[in-house]
Amino acid sequence: MLKRTRTATMAAALIGGTMLLAGCGGQAATNSAAGQEGMGSDTAPATEGMGSDLAPSDDHASGTHDDISASNCSAEDFKVTMQAQPSDASASTRFLVQMENTSDKSCELGGWVNLTPTNMAGEAFDVPTENVNLPGPDADLTLEPGKSAFAGVKIETAEKSDSDAKVASGFTATPSDMNGEVNAEVKDLNGGSSPVEITVKSMQIGTLQPSPQGVVAF
């Protein structure tokens, strides 16, 4: 079983923002399209509409990792994408995160994927981030080559005029209990890789699951 040790962290500065993704006004991409690789035909698409009060966090669900287990895989063994999802809230946006095992071996993973925003220069910056038990508690997964795990991310945004605003032009991803990091490819509602501008205020990240069902229902 993977070892996951977390300590609570919160960034000192709140930042706000808006999201500008080319093609966001187009027809929304389906979650099944985002998860088409590494899934069985019986996998249902992600659902929406649940209130944020249904996404509680547990006592160990926030923070970073103090200990890295002796995992047989690293972040470089995965392709990570963040597929934009439709949202009826003007101050937030959601993404379906897909982690595909691109190695030739089975990888053990679980818990949460750590996402860090980066600016136009590729420099990382901190935002208040909470790991939540959505759509359920964290569990250990064994991901075969070519298969994928999924998680939901909710990003609270504010106006770019906010004096504390910092604009994210990308994200890096690190699976729980693994070394290394990879760039997460951000896709717009139509599945295109458009330039990204997201002024982030805070983030909530759901647990990794073997199916996209319900993972973006913040």
Side-chain angles (χ1 to χ4, degrees), residues 15-26:
I15 54 178
T18 57
M19 174 180 180
L20 301 177
L21 284 174
C24 282

Side-chain angles (χ1 to χ4, degrees), residues 40-76:
S41 59
D42 57 344
T43 303
T47 57
E48 307 175 15
M50 296 173 62
S52 58
D53 57 339
L54 299 181
S57 60
D58 64 9
D59 291 339
H60 67 281
S62 297
T64 58
H65 306 281
D66 289 334
D67 299 322
I68 300 296
S69 68
S71 174
N72 64 318
C73 295
S74 65
E76 289 79 8

